Amino acid sequence: MKGNSNSSKIKIIIIVLILITAAAIGVTIWALFFRGKEEPVLAPDYAPQEEEQYAEDIPDDEGEKLESPEGGGSVSLTYSREVSIDLGERKAELHFGNPGKSNQDMVIQIVIQDNVIVQSGTLKPGKQVNSLELLADAEDKLTAGTYDGRFNILYYDQETGEKAIVNTEIPITVDVAE
């Protein structure tokens, strides 16, 4: 009788292990082939040809260019850590400036939970933005509420348009309204 009892326990253990293995294989197949794929927004290697359409001159911006070593760059930033997004208008209201004393062009991204929801065109020194359009489908990723986010600032050489090695990340608070 003891032989039958041990044999049935082993059969039950084998069946449970087969079920666990089948479930793990099913989850793996789902994750690889059927889960929704989010397309990340890539940072361009060269500054976009088009300047940011909402860029405007910074009033009373009369600083001398910052000194930088050969092949390097220097920047100055003005910004607010508060961003408001109106999903109905598909716009982000913010304040971000690239003062004239900078010697790098910039592209600004607003990132929430590792999703780029806004990306500007090129922001030249002496320019600022107070409004940017959301990327396509960004409003589908957001609902009304307050989020922790970040500005991701990408720097580009003014002469060659080549992307700098260094980026800047600035924590921000993003209020989203429908």
Side-chain angles (χ1 to χ4, degrees):
M1 274 215 213
K2 283 189 174 183
N4 259 350
S5 174
N6 284 339
S7 175
S8 66
K9 285 182 184 178
I10 291 174
K11 286 180 183 178
I12 291 173
I13 290 173
I14 290 173
I15 290 171
V16 168
L17 290 175
I18 289 172
L19 290 173
I20 290 172
T21 303
I25 290 171
V27 168
T28 302
I29 289 171
W30 170 80
L32 290 174
F33 299 108
F34 300 109
R35 184 174 58 177
K37 293 180 173 82
E38 292 184 16
E39 297 291 326
V41 175
L42 302 176
D45 292 326
Y46 290 87
Q49 294 295 318
E50 67 278 352
E51 290 187 36
E52 174 52 47
Q53 66 177 340
Y54 296 109
E56 54 191 47
D57 290 333
I58 298 174
D60 303 322
D61 184 38
E62 297 181 16
E64 286 189 31
K65 291 284 185 195
L66 295 169
E67 296 289 324
S68 62
E70 183 69 32
S74 297
V75 296
S76 177
L77 307 172
T78 60
Y79 58 90
S80 171
R81 290 183 186 258
E82 309 293 321
V83 174
S84 298
I85 292 179
D86 186 321
L87 294 176
E89 291 186 22
R90 300 195 72 253
K91 285 199 175 187
E93 300 298 323
L94 66 146
H95 174 74
F96 198 96
N98 183 7
K101 57 186 171 181
S102 295
N103 60 22
Q104 298 280 295
D105 291 341
M106 297 179 188
V107 170
I108 298 117
Q109 296 177 328
I110 296 175
V111 181
I112 297 175
Q113 298 174 0
D114 295 326
N115 289 292
V116 178
I117 58 166
V118 172
Q119 181 167 299
S120 73
T122 301
L123 193 63
K124 301 238 176 243
K127 300 288 187 178
Q128 67 181 6
V129 290
N130 292 306
S131 178
L132 293 171
E133 291 183 11
L134 299 181
L135 291 174
D137 300 329
E139 68 273 11
D140 297 336
K141 297 176 184 178
L142 300 171
T143 59
T146 301
Y147 297 82
D148 290 328
R150 72 178 186 267
F151 282 131
N152 189 29
I153 298 96
L154 312 169
Y155 303 106
Y156 296 88
D157 184 277
Q158 284 188 291
E159 292 176 20
T160 65
E162 189 174 357
K163 186 174 178 294
I165 296 171
V166 178
N167 297 333
T168 300
E169 293 184 0
I170 301 170
I172 58 173
T173 301
V174 182
D175 289 316
V176 177
E178 292 192 18

